[in-house]
Amino acid sequence: MSESPVPHEPPIYRRIADGLRARILSGELRDGDRLPGENALMAEHAIARATARQALAVLINEGLAVPKRGSGVYVRLFKPIRRHGSRRLSREQWGQGRSIWDADTRGRTFSVDRVEVTLERAGEEVAAVLESGQVWVRRRRYCVDSRPVQLATSYFPAHLVEGSAITLPDTGPGGVYARLGDLGIPPAHFTEEVRARMPGPRESALLDLPGGTPVMVISRTAYTSGGVPVELNEMVLDSAAYVLQYDFDA
Amino acid sequence: MSESPVPHEPPIYRRIADGLRARILSGELRDGDRLPGENALMAEHAIARATARQALAVLINEGLAVPKRGSGVYVRLFKPIRRHGSRRLSREQWGQGRSIWDADTRGRTFSVDRVEVTLERAGEEVAAVLESGQVWVRRRRYCVDSRPVQLATSYFPAHLVEGSAITLPDTGPGGVYARLGDLGIPPAHFTEEVRARMPGPRESALLDLPGGTPVMVISRTAYTSGGVPVELNEMVLDSAAYVLQYDFDA
């Protein structure tokens, strides 16, 4: 039916990864357990080292395992955070004093650190999006279950938010969107642009990323009902910690 | 204002990357031109090889440059494809004999190859999502401007689509969504789940990915207005070729 048929039998490294994954998900291998090493996999399956490494890389990329330098690969059970695009940003979330993040972290330990709030001259791209040369910038890191999972940098046009709690480390109940509402410029429309790339060294360090883990980058712009841009938020996410979900109608 | 201030001065590798990017975007360096090599960057900026490599890696990750084995790093101008989540899936797109892809590739050369259509027993996950043990599977690869950019595998419940053009290589005008409409089960609601990870070797080969380029994986499920799942589409995207855009209201 095709000139270039694609083989469907999964390659050996993937079958090995499937087996290890099944042992993790069944509970036979637990959080913190050491996985069979490259040598053990080579001997057990009569495969090359590169193949064994590929099998382990599958689990590392899926966020089910983490390599520790010089000591092997360990099970790391961390249920990915389901980040729900539209629902989490709906008015019913931030209209009632709940933070956006709540929707993502039910039942999980959640923290923010490295909060930094500064007034800055906007870079070229930020100035173009926000139509403003001076911006208030909020930088912070999010952790879930003690693991750093996201770096976020939000930019606000200075002339719109000057004097509000958006310029303070603690923005109060409902967070920055509630404060934008107080100012009479609540967000009505959001655009999110999603990309993926490898992290820079600073991102790797702050997110404690194992080698070979990409990041997802979400650039979110919030607009008022009149189309005025009121926030640009650049988020850098550990790709092994997140599933982004977007729902929409035909 | 913070206990752990984050430095804002961009690191040297990033400033070098910024300079090279500016030369590319200004047109001084053109498509196919060779970028300064590691040795040249080391000499010019008095930096270590690892730093020079990081600077080049930034441009490679951004999709502006591509390494060629043993010969250096070359400019590759490829305007990322803006994949518009909600608009491209709106009824006005597929209701009028236009394919979904049209919206993404205006003015660009577009092709599909490696089309393969088979009847298969569903794997565990697919069966769970589609509530069906037998599935028609459509595999294909998308290229834009002759560059492979996406692998896609769509699954359809066999009992719903049997006998329709969905089981043929050419699905006719409007594609599979128009055919689902003909069958009286048009998609009314979509859920997309987005992840990023490193590619497997088969994905690397089929997408012709340079080393260190992650893929984005989109799992899209289409439901009828009655909530019946009619398609699961697993897409694997070259992350350097795409920006995913999602728009939604507060």
Side-chain angles (χ1 to χ4, degrees):
Chain A
M1 207 170 285
S2 157
E3 289 179 30
S4 315
V6 179
H8 299 152
E9 180 69 16
I12 177 75
Y13 79 91
R14 197 159 278 281
R15 295 205 300 276
I16 295 171
D18 290 347
L20 291 172
R21 186 189 308 104
R23 292 171 65 191
I24 294 171
L25 298 181
S26 73
E28 180 196 335
L29 289 167
R30 300 189 193 189
D31 196 29
D33 280 359
R34 191 176 180 284
L35 289 176
E38 291 174 11
N39 292 330
L41 292 175
M42 289 163 68
E44 183 182 347
H45 300 281
I47 54 174
R49 182 171 302 277
T51 308
R53 200 169 289 164
Q54 277 177 356
L56 293 170
V58 168
L59 300 173
I60 293 169
N61 279 327
E62 290 177 348
L64 287 172
V66 63
K68 295 188 184 170
R69 197 181 296 261
S71 97
V73 177
Y74 291 79
V75 176
R76 177 171 66 172
L77 288 177
F78 181 86
K79 192 162 157 272
I81 301 158
R82 179 167 298 272
R83 179 182 180 279
H84 197 297
S86 30
R87 188 189 304 156
R88 68 192 284 285
L89 286 168
S90 69
R91 193 180 298 269
E92 62 192 25
Q93 287 294 327
W94 54 264
Q96 297 166 17
R98 294 173 61 190
S99 85
I100 285 177
W101 195 271
D102 280 346
D104 298 329
T105 54
R106 271 184 284 265
R108 307 179 83 166
T109 314
F110 156 65
S111 61
V112 182
D113 66 0
R114 295 174 172 270
V115 176
E116 200 191 28
V117 187
T118 54
L119 180 63
E120 298 179 17
R121 198 161 64 85
E124 211 170 309
E125 280 182 38
V126 172
V129 171
L130 293 182
E131 303 162 2
S132 178
Q134 286 279 106
V135 285
W136 274 95
V137 185
R138 302 185 59 86
R139 293 182 174 79
R140 65 276 189 202
R141 181 174 73 169
Y142 293 99
C143 299
V144 169
D145 298 347
S146 301
R147 167 177 164 170
V149 293
Q150 179 185 146
L151 308 176
T153 306
S154 286
Y155 304 87
F156 302 88
H159 65 281
L160 293 180
V161 303
E162 200 63 71
S164 78
I166 289 171
T167 68
L168 305 175
D170 182 357
T171 53
V176 295
Y177 292 143
R179 294 299 80 71
L180 288 172
D182 298 344
L183 290 166
I185 46 173
H189 184 71
F190 297 92
T191 291
E192 297 199 344
E193 292 181 340
V194 182
R195 288 168 168 271
R197 59 169 170 75
M198 298 310 287
R202 179 175 168 277
E203 294 165 338
S204 274
L206 286 173
L207 290 173
D208 195 18
L209 296 173
T213 302
V215 289
M216 290 192 278
V217 180
I218 306 176
S219 303
R220 183 177 73 210
T221 311
Y223 299 88
T224 64
S225 59
V228 177
V230 288
E231 183 205 26
L232 170 63
N233 187 353
E234 297 267 357
M235 292 164 265
V236 178
L237 283 59
D238 175 353
S239 67
Y242 277 94
V243 177
L244 313 183
Q245 179 172 340
Y246 295 95
D247 295 335
F248 42 93
D249 296 328
Chain B
M1 205 170 281
S2 159
E3 289 180 30
S4 316
V6 179
H8 298 151
E9 181 67 15
I12 177 74
Y13 78 93
R14 198 158 276 282
R15 294 204 302 275
I16 295 170
D18 290 346
L20 291 172
R21 187 190 307 105
R23 292 172 64 190
I24 294 171
L25 298 180
S26 73
E28 179 196 335
L29 288 166
R30 300 189 192 190
D31 196 29
D33 280 358
R34 191 176 179 283
L35 288 177
E38 291 174 11
N39 291 331
L41 293 175
M42 289 163 68
E44 182 183 347
H45 300 280
I47 54 174
R49 183 170 301 279
T51 308
R53 199 168 288 164
Q54 277 177 355
L56 293 170
V58 168
L59 299 174
I60 293 168
N61 280 327
E62 291 176 347
L64 287 173
V66 62
K68 294 189 184 169
R69 197 179 296 260
S71 96
V73 176
Y74 291 80
V75 176
R76 178 171 66 174
L77 287 178
F78 181 87
K79 192 163 158 272
I81 301 158
R82 179 167 298 272
R83 180 182 181 278
H84 197 297
S86 29
R87 188 190 306 156
R88 68 192 284 284
L89 285 167
S90 69
R91 190 179 300 267
E92 61 190 25
Q93 286 295 327
W94 53 264
Q96 298 164 15
R98 296 173 60 190
S99 84
I100 284 177
W101 195 272
D102 280 347
D104 297 329
T105 55
R106 271 184 284 265
R108 308 180 81 165
T109 314
F110 155 64
S111 62
V112 182
D113 66 0
R114 294 173 174 271
V115 177
E116 201 190 28
V117 188
T118 54
L119 180 63
E120 298 180 17
R121 198 161 64 83
E124 210 170 308
E125 280 181 40
V126 173
V129 171
L130 292 183
E131 303 162 3
S132 180
Q134 286 281 106
V135 285
W136 275 95
V137 185
R138 301 184 60 87
R139 292 183 176 80
R140 68 276 191 200
R141 182 174 73 166
Y142 293 98
C143 299
V144 169
D145 298 345
S146 303
R147 169 175 163 170
V149 292
Q150 179 184 145
L151 308 175
T153 306
S154 287
Y155 304 87
F156 302 88
H159 66 281
L160 292 181
V161 304
E162 200 64 72
S164 78
I166 289 172
T167 67
L168 304 176
D170 182 356
T171 53
V176 295
Y177 290 143
R179 295 298 81 69
L180 288 171
D182 297 344
L183 291 166
I185 46 172
H189 184 72
F190 297 91
T191 291
E192 296 199 344
E193 292 181 340
V194 181
R195 289 169 168 272
R197 60 170 170 74
M198 297 313 286
R202 179 176 166 278
E203 294 164 339
S204 274
L206 286 174
L207 291 173
D208 194 17
L209 296 174
T213 302
V215 289
M216 290 193 277
V217 181
I218 306 177
S219 304
R220 183 177 73 210
T221 310
Y223 300 88
T224 65
S225 58
V228 177
V230 288
E231 183 205 25
L232 171 62
N233 187 353
E234 297 266 357
M235 291 162 267
V236 178
L237 282 60
D238 175 352
S239 66
Y242 277 95
V243 177
L244 313 182
Q245 178 172 339
Y246 295 96
D247 295 333
F248 42 92
D249 295 326

